[in-house]
Amino acid sequence: MSLKRTSPTSRNNQSSSLSKALFLLAAMALAVASCGRLPVYSHYEHISSDGWRRDDTVSFTTTVSDSANYHLTLGLRATNAYPYTQLKVNVDIASPLTPRASHSTPFIINITNPEGEMQGRGSTLRQYTVPLGDIVLSRNDTLTLSIHHAMSRFSLPGIADIGLTVEQ
């Protein structure tokens, strides 16, 4: 019977490799656990520099590949040229369960705080996110979301982009 001897250097290399593998595995598990939701769709539509007109409806359409509960988030990018403290939008969501949205759901986005300072992330272009809620979709279902502003002014300056993120 022959025994294979390993040198101390070889054992240290094996131990080091095992430590690195365990660290990588732990880091990946932490990354997956911290994410919580996986984005399955994220898209922004650019708004004309002439302003977002009340009759300009921004629409997003996506098809999901899995049956699941999906979380919808509205994204908005605005500049300092936006003249109001809030933005009121109407959102229509259509899916196989609700093929025609029977009514628009209003959402109010706070652009500034009570002191008049702009909220959101960023400096010259501010990013705002608004949770729209959850929706249950089946495999290969198509989701369509349409949004238009409901402000008294017909054309709104300072709105740069409108977006939708769908997470599973």
Side-chain angles (χ1 to χ4, degrees), residues 41-120:
Y41 176 83
S42 184
H43 181 74
Y44 277 80
E45 287 290 329
H46 181 70
I47 303 298
S48 169
S49 59
D50 294 336
W52 187 19
R53 295 168 33 121
R54 192 176 316 124
D55 59 355
D56 288 340
T57 300
V58 179
S59 295
F60 304 93
T61 300
T62 186
T63 301
V64 297
S65 59
D66 294 320
S67 296
N69 185 41
Y70 291 90
H71 183 73
L72 309 178
T73 303
L74 173 69
L76 169 75
R77 295 178 184 138
T79 68
N80 294 337
Y82 184 73
Y84 300 106
T85 60
Q86 295 180 325
L87 172 63
K88 182 177 180 184
V89 296
N90 289 327
V91 177
D92 297 312
I93 300 172
S95 70
L97 294 177
T98 58
R100 286 188 163 172
S102 57
H103 67 283
S104 293
T105 303
F107 288 89
I108 295 177
I109 303 166
N110 290 318
I111 303 296
T112 66
N113 63 19
E115 290 77 36
E117 299 165 340
M118 289 195 75
Q119 300 292 299

Side-chain angles (χ1 to χ4, degrees), residues 115-149:
E115 290 77 36
E117 299 165 340
M118 289 195 75
Q119 300 292 299
R121 293 183 320 234
S123 54
T124 57
L125 186 64
R126 299 285 182 146
Q127 172 81 32
Y128 301 86
T129 56
V130 179
L132 299 177
D134 294 335
I135 187 169
V136 176
L137 297 171
S138 297
R139 183 175 185 205
N140 296 326
D141 277 354
T142 298
L143 170 72
T144 301
L145 182 134
S146 301
I147 179 172
H148 62 275
H149 81 77

